[in-house]
Amino acid sequence: MNLGELFKSLKGEFLNYKDSKVEGIAENSKEVKKNYIFVALQGLKTHGKNHIDEAIKNGAICLVTDEKIEDIQITQFITEKPVETMHEILKRFYGIPEFKIIGVTGTNGKTTITNFLSFVFKKMGIKNGVIGTLNSRVDEKIIYRGYTTPPSTHLYKIFDEMKKEKVEYLFMELTSHGLEQKRIFNIEIDGLIYTGITRDHLDFHKTMENYYNAKKKAFDLLKEEAPSIINVENIYGKRVFKEIKHKNKKCYGMYLENLDFRVFIRYLSSNGMGLKIEYENKKIEFETKLIGKFNAYNTCSVFAILKEMGFKEESFIKHISEFEGVEGRLEKINTRKGFDIYIDYAHTPDAIGAVLETLKSLHPKKIITVFGAGGNRDKEKRPIMGRIAAELSDTVILTTDNPRFEDPYEIIEDIKSGIPEGELNKVIVEIDRKKAIEKGIEMAEKGDLILIAGKGHEDYMEIKGKRIPFKDKDVVLEILREKNE
């Protein structure tokens, strides 16, 4: 496709115009290749305008920006709205998605729900793809690893690959960063699950109100008749349900009256739960291999979106019961010594509280929790996490978790500052995460549970700008092998 075709009728002005064949579009100068368009946007740390020379050196033939750049010879397209322009030329270059897109947004549950839906649809014989935290993939074919909601120039390439794979449905995590930064913009979606929000990402959004408004933008993407499934037993979910004008909105939960979908936990064990869902004056009971109240909510949202999209219970309920969960999300490892180890991604106060409440409901003799907090992120959540972990655990081992450019000891002191004085005797500090995990395993006895929280599926430790290989599950298995446990 040529420049003239891509920019036809778009608001803006060409300078040094020369029609050329376009081979690609990039918003990162390092990704520019021969015959690419480079879109210069404001990033978190720098503006694309500071990297124009690199883009030209790499082969850019056209620059899209909001002001004229002097002393460059390539074609420029000057527009007041470079982000919107970028989305339009991406849409023209790659074409619009030819499959249904179901978005999932909220602080917690996005990864479990998108992968849960993907599993059920595959079992129903419907080809589908996933874009999210773990990766972007179709079946076992991984298309992309990186951002949970990829940058726009990556996103349209992924859409194009999905189209080539002939997927019928795409399940996509919609992050607050991605929504706020318009990574996904002017793309219509066919359904949305809103799990609610709790404290997270305030290093970026600054206030909960900003965070709420970023998440709310997901509803702007919905087609007019598309269903939205909203957890109203979260304060922000209840609020968004009242505020949005969307026609086909449905609410779900566990406790409130007049819910469109209401879930009950009939029984809970370490191997799964029995659930009952009430909806449309009907009741259905089934088992799931997932555990915990939060997974009851997740399962209810999956059930609700399937129903609202027109699928019959008999076509999917068996497959809901077969889903075993997602890597690094309350992932269970058995030991020969009679204690179990759980690995979970929980890195917010709400998430770590929910996981520990679930583990307590299994009535272990003791709970040993190993966790830390990420560096260069919201510092105010650290003492809250410390207090919750101490209240719900018998032993807390504080350790390192992606310190980035912060001192790990200072992060641990921030966590400790929230732990009541009477609970400090539970706390052990071991800065080396592998040694901290080993210490927890050495302390555990038959009937105990160990929670290793914060990193989940991650296979690296981020320290001073470098990602060092480290995966909690691999470390646990290595230690268990060494101890023959």
Side-chain angles (χ1 to χ4, degrees), residues 1-13:
M1 190 172 283
N2 290 347
L3 278 177
E5 297 173 87
L6 282 174
F7 288 91
K8 186 178 180 180
S9 304
L10 296 184
K11 288 185 179 180
E13 176 188 5

Side-chain angles (χ1 to χ4, degrees), residues 29-267:
S29 58
K30 289 179 171 50
E31 296 174 0
V32 172
K33 297 177 184 177
K34 187 178 179 181
N35 297 328
Y36 264 49
I37 296 170
F38 175 56
V39 187
L41 301 175
Q42 178 62 56
L44 289 176
K45 297 178 181 177
T46 184
H47 199 292
K49 295 172 190 174
N50 299 324
H51 304 275
I52 291 170
D53 289 344
E54 181 180 32
I56 294 173
K57 183 180 177 182
N58 287 342
I61 54 168
C62 178
L63 167 69
V64 177
T65 185
D66 58 2
E67 63 178 2
K68 179 182 177 181
I69 306 298
E70 301 290 347
D71 302 322
I72 66 169
Q73 301 305 311
I74 67 170
T75 300
Q76 296 182 49
F77 187 80
I78 316 303
T79 174
E80 292 179 359
K81 297 182 176 181
V83 174
E84 287 83 346
T85 299
M86 175 181 66
H87 276 274
E88 188 57 41
I89 62 174
L90 282 167
K91 197 178 290 185
R92 293 178 182 186
F93 188 79
Y94 289 106
I96 61 173
E98 296 175 354
F99 38 77
K100 292 184 183 296
I101 301 175
I102 308 301
V104 183
T105 198
T107 306
N108 300 310
K110 298 186 296 298
T111 302
T112 295
I113 291 168
T114 51
N115 284 276
F116 201 157
L117 283 165
S118 177
F119 175 87
V120 172
F121 272 68
K122 184 177 180 180
K123 288 287 186 177
M124 291 195 296
I126 301 171
K127 193 156 190 181
N128 68 85
V130 175
I131 295 178
T133 303
L134 301 181
N135 50 49
S136 297
R137 71 177 193 282
V138 178
D139 293 329
E140 304 307 314
K141 181 180 179 180
I142 295 172
I143 294 170
Y144 172 90
R145 291 185 191 272
Y147 293 91
T148 300
T149 303
S152 308
T153 48
H154 294 187
L155 188 58
Y156 276 87
K157 286 181 185 177
I158 296 167
F159 286 162
D160 192 44
E161 287 296 316
M162 297 276 182
K163 188 162 53 177
K164 289 174 184 173
E165 292 291 327
K166 295 182 168 50
V167 304
E168 296 179 57
Y169 283 83
L170 170 65
F171 305 108
M172 183 174 178
E173 296 185 45
L174 304 177
T175 64
S176 58
H177 290 70
L179 291 161
E180 185 65 27
Q181 295 173 334
K182 296 185 177 179
R183 295 182 206 164
I184 180 166
F185 172 79
N186 202 23
I187 296 170
E188 292 187 320
I189 63 175
D190 300 272
L192 178 68
I193 294 173
Y194 184 97
T195 67
I197 64 170
T198 58
R199 186 187 183 100
D200 201 10
H201 304 306
L202 296 196
D203 51 299
F204 176 75
H205 295 291
K206 307 306 179 189
T207 67
M208 285 297 292
E209 188 67 14
N210 291 343
Y211 183 33
Y212 167 75
N213 286 323
K215 288 287 192 186
K216 189 178 176 182
K217 291 176 182 177
F219 291 91
D220 297 335
L221 306 174
L222 275 165
K223 292 178 181 175
E224 188 175 356
E225 302 296 331
S228 57
I229 310 298
I230 302 167
N231 177 5
V232 291
E233 292 180 349
N234 167 275
I235 185 171
Y236 290 99
K238 188 175 183 180
R239 177 180 165 187
V240 83
F241 189 82
K242 288 181 178 179
E243 290 182 357
I244 62 165
K245 305 302 181 187
H246 189 247
K247 287 181 183 178
N248 192 11
K249 59 183 179 181
K250 303 290 181 181
C251 59
Y252 72 96
M254 190 176 292
Y255 302 107
L256 295 177
E257 298 296 327
N258 301 315
L259 295 167
D260 294 301
F261 295 88
R262 188 177 185 187
V263 63
F264 299 85
I265 299 176
R266 294 165 45 235
Y267 64 83

Side-chain angles (χ1 to χ4, degrees), residues 7-23:
F7 288 91
K8 186 178 180 180
S9 304
L10 296 184
K11 288 185 179 180
E13 176 188 5
F14 273 120
L15 298 175
N16 305 327
Y17 177 71
K18 179 183 177 183
D19 200 14
S20 308
K21 185 178 180 181
V22 176
E23 302 288 348

Side-chain angles (χ1 to χ4, degrees), residues 335-354:
T335 70
R336 293 176 181 170
K337 292 292 184 70
F339 60 86
D340 294 330
I341 301 169
Y342 288 87
I343 295 171
D344 196 84
Y345 191 50
H347 57 276
T348 66
D350 180 70
I352 201 165

Side-chain angles (χ1 to χ4, degrees), residues 253-287:
M254 190 176 292
Y255 302 107
L256 295 177
E257 298 296 327
N258 301 315
L259 295 167
D260 294 301
F261 295 88
R262 188 177 185 187
V263 63
F264 299 85
I265 299 176
R266 294 165 45 235
Y267 64 83
L268 172 70
S269 75
S270 62
N271 296 316
M273 299 182 289
L275 298 180
K276 177 171 73 172
I277 294 179
E278 293 182 349
Y279 63 104
E280 300 171 359
N281 297 317
K282 299 183 205 173
K283 297 177 184 178
I284 189 165
E285 295 185 1
F286 57 93
E287 295 179 336

